[in-house]
Amino acid sequence: MRISMIETDGSVQKTGAIMRQVAKLYATDMAPYASLSILEVYDRIKSLPFRPDPVDLETVQRPFYTMNQTGLGGDCDDKAVCLAAYCNLQSIPYKFVALRRPDKKELHHVACEVYINGKWIFADPTYGFNTFGREPVYAERVYI
C-alpha cells in the first residue's frame, strides 16, 4: 500500500515506531539523492520550510511528499524520516531521538543520530540554522 501520511495517536513511542516503518518502507523515495553525501542531503532537507502538522493532528508522511513539499507536513518528524530513509538507502545506521527543552514538560521534538566513522553524530535537519553534528541543548533525550 502506498500512502502519503499516517496519523499517529501522538504517543512518542508509537510515533517513533511509525517513523521507523515509514523510513524503511519508503527509503526509495530518497533515491534521487543517492549520489549526494549525507551532509548534502542533510542540507537539502534542512533547507525545506518547516511546516507544522495540522492543529490537533500528529502525522508522519513519506519522504516523497516532504521533499517535494506536497503533503500536509514538513515538521521535525517528517524531516527526520527523510534523513532516516536516506540512511536506509545507503545502509547508514541511524536512530531517532525524542527531545524536550528544560521549560517544557513533554517530549516535543524529534531528530536523528547517524553512525559515521565509528561514532554517533547528532543530526537535526528541522531548521535552517541547525548544524550537522551540533549537540542539542535539550534537557531530555529519549531514543524511540
Side-chain angles (χ1 to χ4, degrees), residues 22-99:
V22 171
K24 286 180 185 175
L25 186 61
Y26 298 109
T28 57
D29 283 0
M30 297 303 287
Y33 312 98
S35 66
L36 301 178
S37 72
I38 192 165
L39 291 175
E40 291 170 318
V41 170
Y42 173 86
D43 285 341
R44 174 101 27 126
I45 295 167
K46 79 174 187 171
S47 74
L48 299 171
F50 180 85
R51 292 175 45 198
D53 288 334
V55 175
D56 297 326
L57 184 65
E58 178 62 35
T59 66
V60 175
Q61 70 183 359
R62 62 183 278 192
F64 176 85
Y65 296 102
T66 302
M67 296 302 291
N68 292 293
Q69 295 289 282
T70 58
L72 286 179
D75 64 355
C76 60
D77 52 56
D78 298 319
K79 289 185 171 197
V81 164
C82 290
L83 187 59
Y86 172 83
C87 288
N88 279 322
L89 191 67
Q90 302 291 1
S91 299
I92 299 170
Y94 71 92
K95 50 190 169 184
F96 292 118
V97 58
L99 307 136

